[in-house]
Amino acid sequence: MAWVLLSCDTVVVRSKMNRTKFETLVTIHVHQKDLFQEVWKKVREQKVKDEHDFEWLKQTRLYWKSETDHAVISIADVDFVYSYEYLGVKERLVITALTDRCYVTQSQALCLHLAETRAHYWLVRLRADVDYSRSAIRQVRM
């Protein structure tokens, strides 16, 4: 990690886009590390017993389905086929527990066909690449 940060400060970051990419990667990595520690703690305390426990299911999970040759993004009981869309490099301020709740809520709405715009559909499917927490938070407030 120290090497990456050193590289970001001295060698690799030569443009604003590269800096934004590295900041986004670090933000995502820290969030994933925190989630892993939280889930692992619950496993040790026997609060998560198997892969059907909601504490595990509510996490965004990425799978490769070799029988269909597709990547699948799973959130709770909803699966989306990842279609390799890319919206560009977006800045991320922070990812919070509310952001994760918004992902679960939005994915459930999409599954039940309650989302009216295609924009929400693409935003949920690109969870791994694009942060939409600001728009999701605005949606929750409305």
Short mmCIF file of all heavy atoms in Angstrom, two decimals, residues 34-48:
data_model
loop_
_atom_site.label_atom_id
_atom_site.label_comp_id
_atom_site.label_asym_id
_atom_site.label_seq_id
_atom_site.Cartn_x
_atom_site.Cartn_y
_atom_site.Cartn_z
N ASP A 34 -13.23 -2.88 5.07
CA ASP A 34 -14.10 -2.70 6.23
C ASP A 34 -15.28 -3.68 6.22
O ASP A 34 -15.63 -4.26 7.25
CB ASP A 34 -14.62 -1.27 6.30
CG ASP A 34 -13.53 -0.26 6.59
OD1 ASP A 34 -12.44 -0.67 7.06
OD2 ASP A 34 -13.76 0.94 6.35
N LEU A 35 -15.89 -3.86 5.05
CA LEU A 35 -17.00 -4.81 4.94
C LEU A 35 -16.55 -6.23 5.24
O LEU A 35 -17.23 -6.98 5.95
CB LEU A 35 -17.62 -4.76 3.55
CG LEU A 35 -18.51 -3.57 3.24
CD1 LEU A 35 -19.00 -3.63 1.81
CD2 LEU A 35 -19.67 -3.49 4.20
N PHE A 36 -15.39 -6.60 4.71
CA PHE A 36 -14.87 -7.94 4.96
C PHE A 36 -14.63 -8.16 6.44
O PHE A 36 -15.00 -9.20 7.00
CB PHE A 36 -13.59 -8.17 4.17
CG PHE A 36 -12.99 -9.52 4.44
CD1 PHE A 36 -13.51 -10.65 3.84
CD2 PHE A 36 -11.92 -9.65 5.31
CE1 PHE A 36 -12.98 -11.90 4.10
CE2 PHE A 36 -11.38 -10.90 5.58
CZ PHE A 36 -11.91 -12.03 4.97
N GLN A 37 -14.03 -7.18 7.09
CA GLN A 37 -13.77 -7.31 8.53
C GLN A 37 -15.07 -7.43 9.32
O GLN A 37 -15.18 -8.21 10.26
CB GLN A 37 -12.95 -6.13 9.04
CG GLN A 37 -11.52 -6.17 8.60
CD GLN A 37 -10.74 -4.93 9.01
OE1 GLN A 37 -11.33 -3.90 9.34
NE2 GLN A 37 -9.42 -5.02 8.96
N GLU A 38 -16.08 -6.66 8.93
CA GLU A 38 -17.37 -6.70 9.61
C GLU A 38 -18.04 -8.06 9.45
O GLU A 38 -18.52 -8.65 10.42
CB GLU A 38 -18.27 -5.60 9.03
CG GLU A 38 -19.67 -5.57 9.59
CD GLU A 38 -20.53 -4.53 8.88
OE1 GLU A 38 -20.01 -3.45 8.56
OE2 GLU A 38 -21.70 -4.84 8.64
N VAL A 39 -18.05 -8.58 8.22
CA VAL A 39 -18.68 -9.88 7.97
C VAL A 39 -17.88 -11.00 8.65
O VAL A 39 -18.45 -11.90 9.27
CB VAL A 39 -18.81 -10.15 6.46
CG1 VAL A 39 -19.24 -11.58 6.19
CG2 VAL A 39 -19.81 -9.18 5.84
N TRP A 40 -16.56 -10.93 8.59
CA TRP A 40 -15.73 -11.96 9.21
C TRP A 40 -15.92 -11.98 10.74
O TRP A 40 -15.96 -13.05 11.35
CB TRP A 40 -14.27 -11.75 8.86
CG TRP A 40 -13.40 -12.85 9.38
CD1 TRP A 40 -12.43 -12.75 10.33
CD2 TRP A 40 -13.44 -14.24 9.02
NE1 TRP A 40 -11.86 -13.97 10.56
CE2 TRP A 40 -12.47 -14.90 9.77
CE3 TRP A 40 -14.22 -14.96 8.12
CZ2 TRP A 40 -12.24 -16.27 9.66
CZ3 TRP A 40 -13.99 -16.33 8.01
CH2 TRP A 40 -13.02 -16.96 8.77
N LYS A 41 -16.07 -10.81 11.34
CA LYS A 41 -16.33 -10.74 12.77
C LYS A 41 -17.66 -11.43 13.11
O LYS A 41 -17.75 -12.17 14.09
CB LYS A 41 -16.37 -9.27 13.22
CG LYS A 41 -16.65 -9.08 14.69
CD LYS A 41 -16.71 -7.61 15.05
CE LYS A 41 -17.10 -7.43 16.50
NZ LYS A 41 -17.38 -6.05 16.82
N LYS A 42 -18.67 -11.22 12.27
CA LYS A 42 -19.96 -11.85 12.50
C LYS A 42 -19.89 -13.36 12.29
O LYS A 42 -20.60 -14.11 12.96
CB LYS A 42 -21.03 -11.22 11.61
CG LYS A 42 -21.36 -9.80 12.04
CD LYS A 42 -22.38 -9.16 11.16
CE LYS A 42 -22.63 -7.74 11.65
NZ LYS A 42 -23.61 -7.05 10.85
N VAL A 43 -19.04 -13.80 11.38
CA VAL A 43 -18.85 -15.24 11.18
C VAL A 43 -18.22 -15.86 12.43
O VAL A 43 -18.66 -16.91 12.92
CB VAL A 43 -17.97 -15.52 9.94
CG1 VAL A 43 -17.51 -16.97 9.91
CG2 VAL A 43 -18.72 -15.16 8.67
N ARG A 44 -17.19 -15.21 12.97
CA ARG A 44 -16.54 -15.71 14.18
C ARG A 44 -17.49 -15.73 15.38
O ARG A 44 -17.39 -16.60 16.23
CB ARG A 44 -15.30 -14.89 14.52
CG ARG A 44 -14.12 -15.24 13.62
CD ARG A 44 -12.92 -14.47 14.02
NE ARG A 44 -13.26 -13.06 13.74
CZ ARG A 44 -12.57 -12.03 14.15
NH1 ARG A 44 -11.51 -12.19 14.89
NH2 ARG A 44 -12.92 -10.81 13.84
N GLU A 45 -18.39 -14.76 15.45
CA GLU A 45 -19.37 -14.70 16.54
C GLU A 45 -20.58 -15.60 16.27
O GLU A 45 -21.53 -15.60 17.04
CB GLU A 45 -19.84 -13.26 16.74
CG GLU A 45 -18.76 -12.33 17.22
CD GLU A 45 -19.21 -10.87 17.20
OE1 GLU A 45 -20.30 -10.57 16.66
OE2 GLU A 45 -18.45 -10.02 17.70
N GLN A 46 -20.55 -16.33 15.17
CA GLN A 46 -21.62 -17.25 14.77
C GLN A 46 -22.93 -16.54 14.45
O GLN A 46 -24.00 -17.12 14.57
CB GLN A 46 -21.83 -18.32 15.84
CG GLN A 46 -20.59 -19.02 16.26
CD GLN A 46 -20.52 -20.43 15.73
OE1 GLN A 46 -21.55 -21.04 15.51
NE2 GLN A 46 -19.33 -20.93 15.53
N LYS A 47 -22.86 -15.26 14.08
CA LYS A 47 -24.05 -14.53 13.66
C LYS A 47 -24.35 -14.78 12.18
O LYS A 47 -25.48 -14.61 11.73
CB LYS A 47 -23.89 -13.03 13.91
CG LYS A 47 -23.85 -12.69 15.39
CD LYS A 47 -23.71 -11.21 15.59
CE LYS A 47 -23.65 -10.88 17.08
NZ LYS A 47 -23.41 -9.46 17.32
N VAL A 48 -23.32 -15.13 11.43
CA VAL A 48 -23.47 -15.54 10.03
C VAL A 48 -23.14 -17.01 9.98
O VAL A 48 -22.01 -17.40 10.23
CB VAL A 48 -22.54 -14.74 9.09
CG1 VAL A 48 -22.65 -15.26 7.67
CG2 VAL A 48 -22.88 -13.26 9.14
#
